[in-house]
Amino acid sequence: MARIFDPALKAREQLLAAERRARAKAEAAAVEAGVAETVALSAARGAAFEAPAHAARATPYKRQAGLDWLARKGKISARQKSAGERYGALYRRSAREGAIRSTLDVRPGGGGPAGPGAREEVLLMAAEGSAQAAARLGALRTRLWNQPQLVAACDLVCGRELTPREAARGERAVIELEAVLGVALDLLAGDECAVSR
């Protein structure tokens, strides 16, 4: 069924499109004027501006783990980051406790024993490593006095590798998580230095 041509409807659509273009043009001009004014005021105060490079990125964006992101922003020190990385490695190793890797190879990873009972021995070695990691993680949590907020902050950012913005909702919660994590990492880094002496 063909649509009936209505000249009034066509004119109305053209007027609405022209009105949208005029509004967008006026808004762009206002933004441009505001930016120019801000740049002029900042330049008058002595700020230097460099034109942004509009070249395409050569490499794709890569998601950063929580500790890497905090270190890049200057919110944690190298010592705190190192303590958090140790905590995270133990957290992830102990979390794999129930996971059993599937393989068709008699010797997973190309090493380990072969022959009857080899699979059970490999599973026992993996379980033993996870148990040791869980025990060491428990010792680190004891250094944090098993305080739930400190442990949860370390689990989220160090263990699960979430950024504070991914782990918390709202600006206030993000700031609180960063502060709690800073205290926890200080305790872990400080205790490690005291134990190693």
Side-chain angles (χ1 to χ4, degrees):
M1 183 170 202
R3 187 174 167 198
I4 299 174
F5 178 71
D6 185 3
L9 183 62
K10 177 91 170 142
R12 185 169 193 274
E13 288 173 355
Q14 289 175 344
L15 285 173
L16 286 173
E19 184 181 357
R20 278 189 296 252
R21 283 192 302 269
R23 240 186 283 141
K25 196 179 219 182
E27 187 177 329
V31 168
E32 188 176 334
V35 168
E37 181 183 7
T38 302
V39 168
L41 287 171
S42 295
R45 291 185 190 119
F49 290 93
E50 193 173 301
H54 293 289
R57 286 183 59 89
T59 59
Y61 287 103
K62 181 182 174 195
R63 182 192 173 278
Q64 288 188 322
L67 290 172
D68 294 334
W69 185 85
L70 287 167
R72 186 174 58 91
K73 294 288 185 182
K75 297 188 179 209
I76 60 172
S77 67
R79 200 172 109 212
Q80 289 174 315
K81 183 181 177 198
S82 176
E85 286 172 344
R86 282 189 289 276
Y87 185 96
L90 292 172
Y91 177 90
R92 288 185 294 279
R93 176 65 194 256
S94 65
R96 284 189 297 226
E97 182 175 52
I100 299 174
R101 291 178 279 161
S102 174
T103 182
L104 297 176
D105 188 7
V106 176
R107 297 182 299 171
R119 183 166 188 240
E120 290 81 13
E121 191 171 331
V122 169
L123 290 175
L124 287 173
M125 288 181 352
E128 185 178 320
S130 294
Q132 288 175 354
R136 290 174 59 197
L137 182 65
L140 289 180
R141 287 179 173 167
T142 302
R143 289 182 188 176
L144 299 174
W145 302 301
N146 288 321
Q147 207 281 336
Q149 280 188 309
L150 298 175
V151 171
C154 288
D155 286 352
L156 290 170
V157 179
C158 304
R160 294 180 53 202
E161 298 182 320
L162 299 175
T163 63
R165 293 202 182 278
E166 293 169 335
R169 291 181 179 235
E171 190 65 29
R172 183 176 178 172
V174 169
I175 292 169
E176 183 179 325
L177 178 64
E178 288 176 0
V180 169
L181 181 68
V183 170
L185 293 177
D186 279 339
L187 288 171
L188 292 175
D191 282 348
E192 286 171 6
C193 291
V195 168
S196 64
R197 286 183 199 152

